Amino acid sequence: MTVKDCGGHKGCECDRDRLYRKLCGALVAFILLVLFVILIVWLVLRPHKPRFYLQDLSVLCLNVTPPASTYLFTTMQATVAARNGNERVGVYYDQVDVYAQYKDVAITVPTRLPVGYQGHGDQSVWSPYLQSMDSVQLPPPLAVALAQDETAGYVLVDIRVDGRIRWKVGSWISGHYHLRVNCPALLTVNEGKGSYGANTGGGNGYFRFQQAAACAVDV
């Protein structure tokens, strides 16, 4: 067995090694302490997902005429409310888009919401216009299904909110989290009579949103 010689100038090297080990140990302990404090603060505060509600959906136009054309022409206005139920955590809404879907296919282009901050217990309401902008072409089977739903008198669409949010606790601001919101909206067409009713030309009140409802939120 060999014994490390710490005499002479080698003694300085041994002292330096011991100092490095102590510094490394102190640094690791400090990092672990900081992570532990962050974990405790996070568990105590535990931010809850904001709650979203679809309050209204006004459909001004929703027109597709297969098989002659599978292009969809639509203009609608969605009223979406969001509430931050956290008592100590604020929410930053960054790059949040709203669009409409039919059977998991987008039928409007995304509309960007204004960047904003939501304090503790605050509520925000947005009413963006959603349009196809002459650029939405549906697959032929989907265009036929939409036309059939309109004829039958009921159309189910989804208002989607997609973007990035950040949490704020005191002066600390988190990184970005992906926000996904789905708000189902049942529309009656011509009071549920569809193309069989007296009014077959569309117009004001032709599409009616049935009931405000909570949305599914994923962060």
Side-chain angles (χ1 to χ4, degrees):
M1 181 179 68
T2 61
V3 178
K4 189 172 182 178
D5 184 8
C6 289
H9 69 278
K10 293 186 178 180
C12 296
E13 295 180 1
C14 292
D15 293 339
R16 192 160 48 244
D17 291 342
R18 283 194 293 269
L19 179 61
Y20 286 156
R21 286 195 296 268
K22 289 180 179 179
L23 289 176
C24 290
L27 180 61
V28 171
F30 176 75
I31 293 175
L32 291 176
L33 178 62
V34 170
L35 293 177
F36 179 73
V37 171
I38 292 175
L39 176 63
I40 293 298
V41 171
W42 182 264
L43 291 176
V44 170
L45 297 176
R46 189 163 308 202
H48 300 288
K49 297 178 291 187
R51 297 177 181 177
F52 278 74
Y53 304 89
L54 181 61
Q55 295 183 339
D56 191 26
L57 180 63
S58 300
V59 179
L60 308 179
C61 172
L62 182 62
N63 185 31
V64 62
T65 56
S69 173
T70 59
Y71 278 96
L72 174 70
F73 301 94
T74 182
T75 299
M76 56 184 72
Q77 184 180 21
T79 301
V80 180
R83 184 178 183 276
N84 176 19
N86 294 287
E87 296 182 357
R88 302 181 182 89
V89 182
V91 183
Y92 282 102
Y93 291 91
D94 301 326
Q95 300 181 9
V96 178
D97 295 324
V98 182
Y99 60 96
Q101 279 189 341
Y102 174 74
K103 295 185 183 298
D104 297 326
V105 174
I107 59 175
T108 69
V109 297
T111 298
R112 178 65 53 88
L113 296 180
V115 175
Y117 173 74
Q118 202 172 56
H120 317 147
D122 287 350
Q123 178 170 301
S124 303
V125 179
W126 304 281
S127 296
Y129 279 94
L130 311 176
Q131 297 178 306
S132 58
M133 303 294 289
D134 300 334
S135 61
V136 175
Q137 185 176 19
L138 300 178
L142 199 63
V144 172
L146 178 56
Q148 290 175 342
D149 286 350
E150 286 192 42
T151 300
Y154 296 92
V155 177
L156 179 64
V157 298
D158 295 309
I159 303 301
R160 303 298 298 264
V161 180
D162 187 274
R164 300 191 300 171
I165 64 172
R166 291 174 294 163
W167 307 109
K168 183 178 185 296
V169 181
S171 59
W172 177 79
I173 300 176
S174 74
H176 283 103
Y177 288 79
H178 195 169
L179 172 70
R180 302 179 184 89
V181 181
N182 183 33
C183 306
L186 179 63
L187 302 169
T188 58
V189 184
N190 198 13
E191 298 180 347
K193 301 172 185 176
S195 300
Y196 302 103
N199 178 16
T200 58
N204 186 32
Y206 190 69
F207 296 95
R208 288 190 179 275
F209 176 59
Q210 286 305 287
Q211 185 176 0
C215 307
V217 181
D218 181 47
V219 177

